[in-house]
Amino acid sequence: EIYDYLFQLIESGQKEEVSIDQSWMKNLIDRIPKELLNESQYSMYVQPIHENDKVSFIINKMGPGMYRHFSRYLNLFQDYNMGGLKRYIEKQYQEFEKKNSVILMDINAIFGLNINVHTNVLKSEFTYPRSCPNVGVRQIRLNDIVVHRNLNDNLIGLYEKKSDKRIEIVPLGFLFSMIAPQMYSFLSLFSRANGVEYSFWSKVICEQKGKTNISILPRLSYKNIIIDRKTWCVKAGEFNNIDSMEDFFTNLDVLRHRGINNEVFVKASSVLDSFEEEYVVSDFEKWMTEVKNTKLRKPQYINFKSFFHQKAFIKIISQCEHNVMLQEVLPNINNTFCKGRRIMEFLIE
């Protein structure tokens, strides 16, 4: 239903921007089961856009809730800032445990990945086999846990045998659960703090079976919130390898003919945004390789007026077997905010 509506917006003929109708959105939200709304915990990375005395916000990424990303960045703050923020987060966790009569439990597992190293802010943890327990943190072992179905809310959850309290998993590490070991993935299923990398336009491109081939998607907004940037879908084969200055100018012409700005965000893979089984089951090993390739699945800033940026762009798309998504750089030089600072991002939970 959602994507049928988005296809209607696309086919309306608006090339610059389409807006989601407020009444349509309200009707959709009213039909979402309350269990799903009650269980959601999430965060957002947003950038403000200031233009003609009007402020709007663009969503860059959806992230997990329960202060997972805030906790991740604790060790990047100056000492005098980190202490205050850490105490605030710890207090929020304690109040959450008391209010909901639950135990918040981290998964202590590094697996040799620096990305999973993080500041300890929870009082309880499940230490993964062959990992070292953190000093001063209460250990909950696998045989201390039981799976129950709560008759009040009809939800399956983990409970501690001794206290009969529900365990809320808050994996503060950043191991991608789909490529994690089985026990880590299983425990992560019981977390309300799992984020999702998602793009409406990426999925529209994947799901356009039987519909008109889409080469351009307008900016998608709701009120003063921009959900997706204006997007162009271009075949990777249209760009030349950068072997000469002639190739350099030829690639600039590809953008000019399509009305694309020289500054873009490039995304060469959209399979992570599609939930259709055929993208996973048909060749799972190939799918996982592409998912793990950061250069493909994360947007990369490219300025086509730079010879070296074009070289980097060609290297990225050399592994791409399908279309490349080029997205507008927004905020742009005309949308400056806060005394001309263009690159400013906020993490909101």
Side-chain angles (χ1 to χ4, degrees):
E1 179 182 346
I2 294 174
Y3 283 91
D4 286 340
Y5 177 73
L6 290 179
F7 276 114
Q8 290 177 20
L9 292 179
I10 295 168
E11 294 166 356
S12 67
Q14 298 292 330
K15 293 185 178 180
E16 292 301 318
E17 184 172 346
V18 292
S19 296
I20 296 175
D21 182 72
Q22 293 184 38
S23 59
W24 181 88
M25 179 68 80
K26 183 179 183 303
N27 177 266
L28 178 70
I29 293 174
D30 288 343
R31 290 183 286 124
I32 296 177
K34 64 178 182 179
E35 289 83 2
L36 294 180
L37 295 176
N38 292 337
E39 292 298 307
S40 61
Q41 299 281 345
Y42 63 93
S43 60
M44 293 184 294
Y45 288 85
V46 301
Q47 282 184 276
I49 300 171
H50 188 268
E51 189 173 25
N52 299 327
D53 296 323
K54 177 186 176 183
V55 178
S56 54
F57 298 89
I58 183 163
I59 300 175
N60 284 338
K61 177 185 174 72
M62 297 293 293
M66 299 294 286
Y67 300 101
R68 276 186 65 184
H69 278 200
F70 282 99
S71 300
R72 177 185 193 181
Y73 299 124
L74 274 176
N75 58 355
L76 300 180
F77 287 91
Q78 298 294 331
D79 291 341
Y80 59 87
N81 283 331
M82 188 182 78
L85 182 57
K86 181 180 179 182
R87 286 191 295 272
Y88 173 81
I89 290 176
E90 288 174 334
K91 181 180 178 182
Q92 295 299 310
Y93 281 143
Q94 291 166 13
E95 290 181 354
F96 184 92
E97 286 183 316
K98 184 177 179 180
K99 178 182 177 182
N100 297 279
S101 189
V102 298
I103 298 170
L104 297 180
M105 185 180 78
D106 192 4
I107 304 178
N108 175 25
I110 304 301
F111 302 122
L113 302 172
N114 287 337
I115 197 172
N116 251 26
V117 176
H118 58 273
T119 304
N120 297 316
V121 288
L122 289 176
K123 296 186 297 182
S124 304
E125 69 182 16
F126 169 82
T127 296
Y128 209 84
R130 298 184 181 179
S131 295
C132 296
N134 287 301
V135 178
V137 180
R138 177 178 173 235
Q139 299 296 312
I140 298 179
R141 295 173 175 79
L142 192 60
N143 57 5
D144 297 328
I145 300 172
V146 65
V147 179
H148 275 318
R149 179 168 68 91
N150 190 318
L151 296 179
N152 294 324
D153 55 23
N154 203 31
L155 295 176
I156 293 176
L158 300 180
Y159 289 79
E160 186 187 40
K161 292 178 181 178
K162 183 178 180 181
S163 65
D164 202 31
K165 283 187 175 181
R166 183 162 58 91
I167 296 173
E168 283 275 357
I169 301 290
V170 186
L172 295 177
F174 282 78
L175 182 62
F176 188 29
S177 60
M178 293 191 68
I179 59 173
Q182 292 179 346
M183 180 58 68
Y184 190 103
S185 296
F186 172 74
L187 291 173
S188 295
L189 293 174
F190 293 93
S191 174
R192 293 192 292 175
N194 287 321
V196 59
E197 290 189 29
Y198 193 80
S199 164
F200 283 99
W201 283 163
S202 291
K203 186 167 170 61
V204 162
I205 290 171
C206 284
E207 301 291 311
Q208 57 177 320
K209 305 170 185 175
K211 298 183 181 290
T212 304
N213 187 40
I214 296 173
S215 60
I216 182 171
L217 292 160
R219 191 181 298 168
L220 178 64
S221 63
Y222 176 71
K223 294 184 178 181
N224 69 328
I225 300 172
I226 298 170
I227 301 172
D228 246 324
R229 293 171 168 86
K230 186 176 181 180
T231 301
W232 292 266
C233 194
V234 185
K235 291 181 179 178
E238 290 191 32
F239 295 97
N240 287 3
N241 288 327
I242 303 298
D243 297 322
S244 65
M245 290 304 296
E246 183 180 351
D247 293 328
F248 173 79
F249 289 110
T250 298
N251 289 340
L252 284 174
D253 285 339
V254 172
L255 300 188
R256 183 171 56 83
H257 289 316
R258 290 177 173 267
I260 305 174
N261 196 285
N262 293 318
E263 291 182 279
V264 292
F265 290 120
V266 175
K267 189 177 181 184
S269 174
S270 57
V271 295
L272 191 63
D273 299 306
S274 177
F275 301 118
E276 293 294 324
E277 284 191 2
E278 64 182 87
Y279 290 98
V280 182
V281 177
S282 59
D283 194 340
F284 182 76
E285 192 171 312
K286 181 180 178 182
W287 182 84
M288 288 304 301
T289 300
E290 187 164 355
V291 165
K292 289 186 286 186
N293 192 331
T294 302
K295 295 192 298 296
L296 293 181
R297 67 183 180 87
K298 292 190 175 182
Q300 306 290 311
Y301 170 78
I302 297 292
N303 186 339
F304 272 81
K305 283 190 173 181
S306 165
F307 183 87
F308 298 105
H309 274 223
Q310 280 206 32
K311 292 282 283 187
F313 170 73
I314 294 301
K315 186 174 181 180
I316 292 171
I317 68 171
S318 65
Q319 303 174 56
C320 180
E321 299 179 356
H322 37 72
N323 293 340
V324 180
M325 289 176 58
L326 305 180
Q327 292 190 312
E328 64 177 329
V329 173
L330 192 69
N332 58 46
I333 199 169
N334 299 315
N335 307 131
T336 54
F337 187 81
C338 192
K339 298 180 180 180
R341 294 181 181 177
R342 178 177 166 191
I343 307 300
M344 179 180 287
E345 186 177 53
F346 294 89
L347 173 58
I348 301 173
E349 180 161 330

